[in-house]
Amino acid sequence: MKIHEYQAKELFRAAGVPVLQGMVARNADEAKDAYNKLGGAIAVVKAQIHAGGRGKGTVTEKPEQHGVELVKSADDAARVAENLLGNHLVTIQTGPEGQRVNQVFVESGCNIARELYLGIVLDRAASLPVLMVSTEGGMEIEKVAEETPEKILKEHFDPHVGLESYQVRKLCKAMDISGKAARSADLFMKKICQLYVDLDCALLEVNPLVITGDDEMIALDAKVTFDDNAMFRHKDIAELRDDAEEEPSELRAAASGLSFVKLDGNIACLVNGAGLAMSTMDIIKHHGGEPANFLDVGGGANKDQVTEAFRILLADPHVKAVLVNIFGGIARCTTIADAVIAASKEVGFNVPLVVRLEGTEVEEGRRMLEESDVEIINAVGLTDAAKKVVEAAGV
């Protein structure tokens, strides 16, 4: 689950991580009021969408307007807000259609001496969270990682202990941070690592992280993604979800207990088990196709869930064929076959359907499909299924 920058900064503030003052505005007048209330000589108006690259992004309806702009008057703040609100911001992460801006964040300016980068993720190979910092703040960190990976410094930390002072000193020395700024970094980095652990974050990123002219380390940006599996422990954070920023089909799938991620391809996949779903996507690509989604119906999928899954898959106008790939373990192949037959009557298949069944009660499941009036392309084995669905999609 993702949240907006202004929401992340409220969490930072509550955890003692230094941030600047700011206010959310949903129309030009509110942006003007926010600038006046902040009281500084400068402020920054930022589009609030769940995508990075806002500073270089452009508004479809106002091509001269970027997603982040420094303003020096209340009228200027109102102008930028008016250009952004209700329009679509296109960034490197939104796709060409862009994302509608429904709110902006008006934030105080500050005297920036240095721009850095900070990120925290889980390093699954080390089974530990890892803090990453770089002197290349404000840039695309993916580009830095590709072209100059030596400029990204890493420190793993034990979630039960937290980041330790010697680790902060090590990072500061490598980035030429000393004196008061190093003491500020010690406070900042320890608290933000603790926040990452306490809130079950999947990713936490500050880019740019700045050191001010007064040698204070401050989060100028904030990007936080949470582990969905831990949301039951954070009811207050779950309430921060902005449905307007979510893919509608993913929300619909989640309401039915389905694990679904929409992709840009044209071959829909209905699979049980996350590992099998990933393998299915890989082999489709291997044979020249492009998956339209990740969909795990789970081990205990019932007829209603499978029917809803088909409704979601077939509602995508880009889908040219569907591959059902089921390994019957807890879920019997007869249950899936029954669900496919029922779904064909309730939903109606308007594209080719390739079905590969293996596992518990597979023979009976195959017999049910063969004796039904559902038009199906049967497959034996994963490779056979992938080849047939790619061919059926006309790729």
Side-chain angles (χ1 to χ4, degrees):
M1 174 188 143
K2 297 178 182 177
I3 59 175
H4 290 292
E5 174 193 355
Y6 77 90
Q7 295 169 320
K9 285 185 171 174
E10 284 302 314
L11 297 176
F12 282 15
R13 193 189 311 281
V17 176
V19 293
L20 298 170
Q21 293 294 321
M23 302 176 74
V24 176
R26 295 180 175 83
N27 58 56
D29 288 340
E30 288 183 2
K32 193 172 185 176
D33 289 344
Y35 182 92
N36 288 328
K37 287 176 181 174
L38 291 172
I42 58 170
V44 180
V45 180
K46 303 177 177 181
Q48 296 297 286
I49 61 171
H50 288 182
R54 294 170 297 165
K56 293 181 179 176
T58 56
V59 175
T60 304
E61 297 84 351
K62 303 268 186 182
E64 74 284 356
Q65 180 65 57
H66 296 291
V68 177
E69 185 171 329
L70 182 73
V71 295
K72 297 181 179 178
S73 70
D75 288 340
D76 220 14
R79 174 188 59 78
V80 175
E82 194 164 4
N83 285 344
L84 291 170
L85 291 166
N87 292 327
H88 293 79
L89 181 63
V90 178
T91 79
I92 55 172
Q93 295 183 3
T94 63
E97 71 282 0
Q99 206 155 325
R100 180 185 165 91
V101 180
N102 295 315
Q103 51 202 344
V104 297
F105 188 45
V106 184
E107 188 176 51
S108 299
C110 69
N111 178 18
I112 299 173
R114 290 186 66 184
E115 291 193 359
L116 309 171
Y117 169 88
L118 181 149
I120 310 172
V121 294
L122 175 64
D123 183 342
R124 295 182 186 278
S127 300
L128 288 171
V130 56
L131 169 69
M132 300 175 288
V133 294
S134 174
T135 54
E136 306 304 295
M139 298 179 63
E140 293 173 27
I141 197 65
E142 294 83 359
K143 192 174 180 183
V144 176
E146 184 180 350
E147 297 178 357
T148 52
E150 71 280 3
K151 291 186 176 180
I152 298 179
L153 311 169
K154 300 178 182 178
E155 282 291 323
H156 293 84
F157 60 93
D158 186 328
H160 299 292
V161 178
L163 190 73
E164 299 194 65
S165 289
Y166 80 90
Q167 294 179 291
V168 178
R169 288 196 295 272
K170 193 171 152 186
L171 294 171
C172 285
K173 184 177 181 182
M175 293 192 293
D176 194 25
I177 299 172
S178 59
K180 183 182 174 185
R183 292 191 290 277
S184 179
D186 185 73
L187 177 74
F188 186 104
M189 291 184 189
K190 286 179 178 175
K191 286 187 180 295
I192 208 162
C193 286
Q194 192 59 49
L195 183 147
Y196 175 89
V197 174
D198 290 345
L199 299 187
D200 290 305
C201 300
L203 177 147
L204 189 157
E205 190 174 55
V206 180
N207 189 20
L209 166 71
V210 301
I211 296 177
T212 68
D214 296 328
D215 284 337
E216 294 292 337
M217 185 168 276
I218 293 175
L220 209 59
D221 191 17
K223 180 179 180 181
V224 180
T225 303
F226 300 95
D227 181 349
D228 288 333
N229 295 313
M231 281 298 94
F232 71 94
R233 290 201 292 240
H234 305 288
K235 306 290 186 190
D236 53 337
I237 290 176
E239 291 177 358
L240 300 178
R241 182 190 296 273
D242 183 352
D243 288 348
E245 295 287 327
E246 305 284 343
E247 167 60 40
S249 58
E250 293 178 6
L251 288 174
R252 184 176 169 186
S256 297
L258 303 169
S259 180
F260 176 85
V261 178
K262 190 178 184 309
L263 300 172
D264 296 330
N266 56 13
I267 297 177
C269 310
L270 189 154
V271 188
N272 67 328
L276 184 58
M278 296 295 287
S279 300
T280 302
M281 292 161 58
D282 283 347
I283 201 163
I284 286 173
K285 285 190 73 72
H286 179 71
H287 289 286
E290 287 292 336
N293 65 275
F294 167 95
L295 172 57
D296 173 14
V297 297
N302 57 39
K303 187 185 81 171
D304 290 340
Q305 286 177 301
V306 174
T307 301
E308 179 65 1
F310 274 117
R311 286 196 189 99
I312 294 169
L313 297 181
L314 297 174
D316 183 347
H318 300 105
V319 167
K320 303 298 181 189
V322 178
L323 171 57
V324 176
N325 184 22
I326 299 294
F327 184 84
I330 299 173
R332 299 175 180 179
C333 289
T334 49
T335 302
I336 299 298
D338 190 38
V340 169
I341 294 168
S344 74
K345 294 175 181 173
E346 293 187 31
V347 182
F349 298 139
N350 53 7
V351 296
L353 177 66
V354 178
V355 178
R356 179 243 181 178
L357 296 178
E358 295 291 350
T360 308
E361 299 184 353
V362 63
E363 295 302 331
E364 179 64 9
R366 288 174 181 167
R367 185 191 63 74
M368 290 169 64
L369 292 175
E370 287 172 2
E371 293 178 355
S372 73
D373 56 0
V374 183
E375 194 170 331
I376 290 172
I377 301 171
N378 285 304
V380 179
L382 192 47
T383 298
D384 184 44
K387 287 181 177 177
K388 284 179 174 173
V389 78
V390 169
E391 182 181 355
V395 177

